[in-house]
Amino acid sequence: MNLKSPLIFTFILSLLSIIGFSFMATLISKYDIIQFDSTVISFIQGFESPMLTIIMKLFSFIGSTSSVIVLSLFILFFLYKVLHHRSELILFISVVLGSSILNMVLKLFFHRARPDLHRLIEIHGYSFPSGHAMSAFAVYGVLSFLLWRHIPTRSGRSILTIISITMIILIGISRIYLGVHYPSDIIGGYLASGFWLTLAIWFYQRYQEKLYKQKHSSES
């Protein structure tokens, strides 16, 4: 069991994520991303229709705290009762809970007001980074990582990846469509959560490698 390459890959992803987030935060603090945000918002909201609004509200609800809690409880039950993998259960809790705490800290630090252009729903609180984006990336990202090894076929793993990416993207787009987040809030949320997710996976992989070495050293 050689985890050296996955460890390096995970560390690089974590590093790229924090660099990307820092770059995005710098652009926001200097107000250099206003044009980008306005252009993307206008484009996405240009597709507004009654049916699309219902769909976007649905995806926004799926990414809400209450929905994430229900989904997380189901996943925890599955990991504990079906797969009997307690270390994976700890990783899942660490990623999801840690992402939520990190989001609250970052929102209080940046104090970015929400867009006030064309809102389809009303919501309070700070805007950057998006809590929905961070939660979606954390939940579906760690779920994909944990389920990947338990899916025997390439097609099954491809379906898992497609579903996860689709949910992450649509939950993010729904917040822009509904007028409660800037696109940069969503991107920043993905990058911040990506950093936390890959950092947690890095520690998890190191722990697994350590257990593997201890086991084989005791057997030899």
Side-chain angles (χ1 to χ4, degrees), residues 12-215:
I12 292 174
L13 285 179
S14 181
L15 185 61
L16 291 175
S17 295
I18 193 61
I19 291 174
F21 179 82
S22 300
F23 178 71
M24 183 63 65
T26 301
L27 291 178
I28 290 172
S29 63
K30 293 182 177 180
Y31 301 97
D32 290 337
I33 204 165
I34 295 176
Q35 185 61 48
F36 168 79
D37 280 334
S38 299
T39 301
V40 176
I41 289 174
S42 297
F43 175 77
I44 291 177
Q45 291 190 335
F47 294 96
E48 183 181 341
S49 69
M51 179 57 68
L52 187 56
T53 299
I54 293 174
I55 294 173
M56 290 296 104
K57 284 183 178 180
L58 173 62
F59 279 103
S60 181
F61 174 75
I62 292 173
S64 66
T65 301
S66 57
S67 296
V68 169
I69 290 174
V70 172
L71 177 61
S72 296
L73 290 175
F74 174 78
I75 294 171
L76 291 174
F77 176 82
F78 180 78
L79 291 174
Y80 185 78
K81 287 292 186 179
V82 180
L83 299 182
H84 306 291
H85 288 173
R86 296 185 180 182
S87 61
E88 293 185 349
L89 184 147
I90 294 173
L91 173 63
F92 182 85
I93 294 175
S94 300
V95 170
V96 176
L97 186 60
S99 177
S100 178
I101 294 173
L102 178 60
N103 178 256
M104 290 188 290
V105 172
L106 291 173
K107 281 181 180 289
L108 290 175
F109 179 81
F110 288 102
H111 279 209
R112 190 187 196 188
R114 293 184 183 274
D116 192 18
L117 300 173
H118 176 53
R119 290 193 189 181
L120 299 179
I121 60 173
E122 285 301 321
I123 191 172
H124 303 287
Y126 296 117
S127 187
F128 180 83
S130 166
H132 275 63
M134 288 190 67
S135 293
F137 200 99
V139 171
Y140 293 101
V142 71
L143 184 61
S144 295
F145 173 78
L146 293 176
L147 294 182
W148 182 272
R149 72 188 71 183
H150 301 294
I151 299 177
T153 63
R154 179 179 296 180
S155 59
R157 293 193 292 267
S158 297
I159 293 173
L160 172 67
T161 303
I162 291 172
I163 291 175
S164 297
I165 292 175
T166 300
M167 293 301 297
I168 291 171
I169 292 175
L170 287 179
I171 288 173
I173 290 177
S174 72
R175 304 301 282 174
I176 301 172
Y177 177 91
L178 296 173
V180 294
H181 274 298
Y182 295 102
S184 52
D185 295 335
I186 305 302
I187 297 172
Y190 290 157
L191 291 170
S193 193
F195 164 73
W196 179 252
L197 171 65
T198 50
L199 183 65
I201 290 176
W202 184 78
F203 277 107
Y204 175 79
Q205 290 175 321
R206 286 200 64 184
Y207 173 73
Q208 291 296 318
E209 185 177 40
K210 183 179 180 180
L211 288 181
Y212 179 81
K213 289 180 178 179
Q214 289 178 346
K215 179 181 178 181

